[in-house]
Amino acid sequence: MTEPNAKIELDAVVVGAGFAGLYTLHKLRGLGLRVKVLEAGKGVGGTWFWNRYPGARCDVESLEYSYSFSEALQQEWNWPERFSAQPDILRYANHVADRLDLRRDILTERRVASATFDDRTHCWTVRTAGGEVFEAPFCIMATGNLSLPRVPDFPGLKTFKGEWYHSGLWPEEGVDFTGRRVGVIGTGSSGVQMIPMIAEQAAHLFVFQRTANFSVPGVNRPMTPDVEHGHKARYAYWRDEAKRTPFGIAGHPPPSKTALEDTPEARAEVYERKWGTGGNISFLYAYKDLLTDKAANDTACEFVREKIRSTVRDPDVARLLMPNDHPIGTKRLCLDNGYFETFNRDNVTLVDVRSDPIVEITERGLRTKTCEYELDAVAFATGFDAMTGALLDIDIRGAGGLRLADKWAHGPRTYLGLMTAGLPNLFMITGPGSPSVKTNMIASIEQHVDWIANCVAHLRREGIRLIEADVAAEDAWVEHVNQVADSTLYPLANSWYVGANIPGKPRVFMPYVAGLDKYRMICDAVATESYRGFKLAEA
Ligand code: NAP
């Protein structure tokens, strides 16, 4: 440990050692910068360090959800499954940290409390909760989009005599639910993944569902040598193709037809094929207008509802599991392994907390308006303060003492999701206003980090000390992000994309949904045109 308050001077401070922070360190080191990464966790891996709940698995195929910047790395790593599980992804993050000799510049168990820009020295002072101080001209927030877990403030949680967990803060040693009465609250991607696993262990599992969610089969399988070697033989080609897609994922040719162009029979065949192949992006790529035309979307919704109807034996339970309040895909489409089938088990009960809301956690369990459930353990799969949460959790103050929390009081404002006016030399990786969560995150991370590293290299070459988003460019970008969102069905859902899951959070659509391919071109053009929309200053 460093002495408390001993100031460490650097060229760049990076906050977070997930996939974004690891790659940023590698790139900035390559430019000859002195860099340290401050990480709250005990290890690297970010999301994959924290989300250790049973069944945690990525919904993007591993041959795609991995770094592309090093041919050696992508050739030597072996993924055991099509959609790898959390322990394997965490192993990969650790392998990268070792392979690239990153650990010597990563300080773990350092939660960043504040970042303050000094108008005089033009440096950022970054303080950890433990009192350590780091100073550098550049500050890069690699804090993740889904990294501030949210436990609803039900009264009585402190009195609960059993144990409780959050999907995003799962104990490292795991949890054994054998013989226990367990409650899972939440049926988003995390709930949908953990429910089938917990059901296999628990004496009884109560699933507390407020909103039914669409989910499609993962169709996961072990990696075969054929698939792996075939992909690796043409890795450069696949990575290049991924760059030209909206999601940053290769292998899914863009659909040419609208849903209503097909007859109902032909449509059913298309959906059935997608259902059998597995994958959420693939399913939403059945037709080109599923996320823009409500009537088209309704056909896909009905197909999935029919699947639920035919899978779940109890018709009342099936009805409750059928989503009916949002178009499919406007909330993150879940990917599951036996989710709906789980409700056919005798030891699983679905509780509808929309009609009978949770009132409190008691000493012995959980009470809804009409019923008390005795529980030994509660697993919160209640999500995150997404996209802005982790940034605003840090007291960030820019030029003239501008507080980011004040600036974003009515919602995040950024230029390209990379910077926000008033915070010179502070970059965000996959910040609000960038494609981020609507893409393969690692592809988006690489695009951002490459852009930032090129920008920093340019500034240093030209003797420019400061870069800052211009207010007019930021306003125009925010307007554009909203216009693009409004041309889709996304705003129709009460999703975390609009902050709807956090009481009191301003309702603003946060990701840029025009696609990573278009976004990449915009960012490249901005850089080529002497960083159009940014103010550059020599001192
Ligand atoms: P989420 O999608 O926000 O889901 C939270 C769930 O908790 C919702 O069902 C929500 O119900 C429920 N909930 C929240 N507050 C509640 C309350 N007071 N009472 C009852 N229910 C409540 O969170 P998540 O499942 O952790 O997923 C977040 C995101 O992480 C995903 O969308 C995805 O992008 C990512 N993720 C990905 C994977 C993967 O790659 N496979 C896995 C996990 C997570 P309402 O809908 O009614 O609000």
Side-chain angles (χ1 to χ4, degrees):
M1 285 277 269
T2 359
E3 287 293 309
N5 303 326
K7 189 167 72 181
I8 297 177
E9 289 181 15
L10 301 161
D11 297 313
V13 178
V14 179
V15 185
F19 282 118
L22 294 179
Y23 186 43
T24 306
L25 171 57
H26 176 65
K27 282 294 283 191
L28 295 185
R29 241 194 213 168
L31 297 178
L33 269 64
R34 293 166 303 155
V35 188
K36 293 280 179 213
V37 179
L38 306 177
E39 164 57 51
K42 276 196 227 151
V44 303
T47 284
W48 303 103
F49 175 86
W50 296 103
N51 286 264
R52 297 165 186 262
Y53 60 85
R57 182 179 292 287
C58 188
D59 58 6
V60 176
E61 291 180 56
S62 299
L63 287 165
E64 302 280 334
Y65 187 85
S66 45
Y67 287 123
S68 72
F69 67 83
S70 158
E71 175 65 5
L73 191 57
Q74 66 187 10
Q75 288 296 336
E76 75 198 13
W77 185 257
N78 302 110
W79 290 107
E81 293 179 275
R82 179 186 182 195
F83 296 100
S84 290
Q86 173 270 333
D88 292 312
I89 304 174
L90 185 58
R91 247 193 300 283
Y92 172 72
N94 277 286
H95 167 75
V96 173
D98 291 331
R99 178 79 161 77
L100 303 177
D101 186 24
L102 300 177
R103 291 192 200 276
R104 63 188 158 89
D105 285 322
I106 299 172
L107 303 173
T108 54
E109 297 183 82
R110 287 353 190 253
R111 184 168 289 281
V112 170
S114 67
T116 312
F117 183 73
D118 185 324
D119 293 312
R120 201 176 41 82
T121 61
H122 295 159
C123 278
W124 283 92
T125 302
V126 177
R127 285 191 168 76
T128 66
E132 286 162 281
V133 184
F134 300 83
E135 195 180 86
F138 293 105
C139 179
I140 292 109
M141 292 294 175
T143 41
N145 293 117
L146 293 153
S147 41
L148 191 68
R150 174 182 170 264
V151 177
D153 52 355
F154 296 126
L157 185 56
K158 284 203 179 95
T159 66
F160 183 48
K161 293 268 198 292
E163 277 149 10
W164 66 268
Y165 313 92
H166 186 284
S167 60
L169 294 168
W170 207 261
E172 249 184 281
E173 62 281 10
V175 182
D176 184 3
F177 289 111
T178 308
R180 297 162 85 188
R181 288 166 65 87
V182 184
V184 171
I185 305 176
T187 50
S189 300
S190 306
V192 159
Q193 288 187 328
M194 73 168 75
I195 285 163
M197 306 293 288
I198 297 179
E200 281 177 17
Q201 276 193 346
H204 201 94
L205 171 64
F206 295 90
V207 175
F208 297 95
Q209 172 191 275
R210 188 165 65 182
T211 311
N213 235 324
F214 288 104
S215 185
V216 298
V219 192
N220 190 28
R221 51 180 168 253
M223 185 67 67
T224 63
D226 276 3
V227 170
E228 186 177 358
H229 296 155
H231 200 92
K232 285 185 173 176
R234 304 181 69 208
Y235 229 144
Y237 166 84
W238 290 119
R239 296 298 197 187
D240 200 46
E241 188 188 300
K243 283 193 175 144
R244 282 193 279 268
T245 69
F247 308 109
I249 299 175
H252 302 285
S256 55
K257 272 189 175 175
T258 62
L260 300 180
E261 267 177 69
D262 264 346
T263 62
E265 295 74 25
R267 241 184 350 251
E269 260 179 48
V270 169
Y271 290 141
E272 196 62 54
R273 211 168 35 247
K274 293 283 187 183
W275 186 266
T277 320
N280 45 12
I281 286 169
S282 160
F283 191 83
L284 293 172
Y285 240 27
Y287 291 104
K288 66 180 181 186
D289 56 347
L290 288 186
L291 290 169
T292 50
D293 182 319
K294 177 76 169 57
N297 189 286
D298 285 344
T299 65
C301 291
E302 196 39 45
F303 176 85
V304 177
R305 283 195 283 260
E306 185 48 43
K307 284 287 181 194
I308 299 170
R309 205 176 278 126
S310 62
T311 304
V312 180
R313 283 198 289 273
D314 181 329
D316 291 333
V317 176
R319 189 178 41 75
L320 276 177
L321 287 168
M322 285 181 216
N324 57 18
D325 77 328
H326 64 280
I328 188 167
T330 56
K331 283 183 166 188
R332 176 71 166 215
L333 179 56
C334 302
L335 202 61
D336 73 88
N337 291 290
Y339 175 65
F340 294 115
E341 291 83 346
T342 299
F343 294 90
N344 291 331
R345 296 176 66 109
D346 293 337
N347 70 332
V348 175
T349 304
L350 181 66
V351 182
D352 172 21
V353 295
R354 165 82 54 199
S355 63
D356 187 16
I358 299 170
V359 175
E360 62 171 339
I361 307 289
T362 64
E363 273 185 33
R364 296 187 312 161
L366 177 158
R367 206 162 62 74
T368 64
K369 217 164 149 195
T370 67
C371 226
E372 179 158 5
Y373 298 85
E374 264 187 52
L375 302 171
D376 304 310
V378 176
F380 288 94
T382 43
F384 301 84
D385 186 348
M387 305 203 68
T388 54
L391 287 164
L392 293 176
D393 199 42
I394 301 170
D395 182 5
I396 301 178
R397 293 171 192 242
L402 173 73
R403 278 182 74 227
L404 183 63
D406 291 337
K407 179 177 172 182
W408 285 5
H410 302 292
R413 302 187 71 76
T414 72
Y415 180 39
L416 300 170
L418 278 162
M419 297 192 96
T420 185
L423 273 60
N425 290 10
L426 182 138
F427 294 98
M428 291 167 280
I429 300 185
T430 66
S434 74
S436 62
V437 293
K438 293 308 304 167
T439 67
N440 170 359
M441 281 301 291
I442 297 192
S444 274
I445 284 167
E446 286 189 327
Q447 185 266 339
H448 260 194
V449 175
D450 289 343
W451 192 94
I452 292 167
N454 287 337
C455 175
V456 169
H458 170 80
L459 301 181
R460 286 164 66 90
R461 224 174 15 245
E462 302 296 320
I464 296 165
R465 299 240 357 239
L466 289 172
I467 179 165
E468 183 184 344
D470 181 64
V471 177
E474 179 169 295
D475 289 348
W477 183 252
V478 172
E479 172 88 17
H480 175 59
V481 170
N482 280 302
Q483 272 171 1
V484 173
D486 288 341
S487 68
T488 70
L489 301 177
Y490 284 110
L492 299 183
N494 286 319
S495 65
W496 56 258
Y497 299 143
V498 293
N501 64 327
I502 304 293
K505 187 164 173 170
R507 221 184 147 110
V508 173
F509 193 84
M510 294 182 278
Y512 179 56
V513 288
L516 182 55
D517 48 350
K518 290 206 180 75
Y519 175 79
R520 184 188 303 277
M521 285 196 283
I522 295 170
C523 291
D524 288 350
V526 163
T528 307
E529 294 163 37
S530 306
Y531 292 91
R532 167 170 46 86
F534 290 98
K535 293 185 292 185
L536 308 183
E538 283 176 14

